[in-house]
Amino acid sequence: SDGSIRLHQMTSEYPLMQWNDSTNGQPVIALQWALTRPAVFFVLDASSNIYIWDLLENDLLPVAKQPVPSDNIVSMALLGDPEKPNGLLGIVLAKESGQVDIQYIKKKWALP
């Protein structure tokens, strides 16, 4: 609820990493790991901002932030096939209005 993100290992109750105020204090609505690239995850905050984290590029801050100003996003999910080496990765955004958008992620964050 405060925008903090914690990375845990299953064998410990203590986080390996913790990023405080990672969304400028906005609650995190959804977080999902990329299906095609293990070091990348996506975060959706309550202000409809999407943050892309690539831990191999920068483990302190997100590598990109994309605001979606037109309509509140209430949920997100990722599309992709980890078995295919083409690196095709999409993000599905469910909006408050009932619309669903599908956007494709740049290859640099999708390729294995």
Side-chain angles (χ1 to χ4, degrees):
S1 66
D2 64 357
S4 297
I5 298 172
R6 292 173 206 56
L7 176 65
H8 283 267
Q9 185 174 1
M10 296 297 288
T11 58
S12 174
E13 66 183 278
Y14 302 105
L16 294 172
M17 295 280 294
Q18 180 168 327
W19 300 276
N20 295 321
D21 199 31
S22 64
T23 58
N24 297 320
Q26 290 296 315
V28 172
I29 302 297
L31 185 149
Q32 190 167 356
W33 287 98
L35 302 170
T36 56
R37 189 175 172 102
V40 174
F41 63 93
F42 298 81
V43 176
L44 169 66
D45 75 10
S47 294
S48 296
N49 294 303
I50 299 170
Y51 301 84
I52 302 173
W53 290 76
D54 183 344
L55 299 179
L56 296 178
E57 186 176 326
N58 187 343
D59 64 358
L60 299 176
L61 299 168
V63 293
K65 175 184 173 184
Q66 180 65 49
V68 184
S70 60
D71 197 355
N72 276 347
I73 299 174
V74 295
S75 184
M76 79 170 180
L78 294 178
L79 303 169
D81 188 350
E83 302 295 319
K84 293 186 179 175
N86 64 1
L88 189 62
L89 181 65
I91 188 167
V92 180
L93 305 173
K95 297 184 175 186
E96 194 171 57
S97 66
Q99 288 184 315
V100 174
D101 282 351
I102 299 175
Q103 299 180 9
Y104 290 99
I105 306 301
K106 289 182 180 180
K107 292 246 185 221
K108 72 178 188 175
W109 295 311
L111 285 174

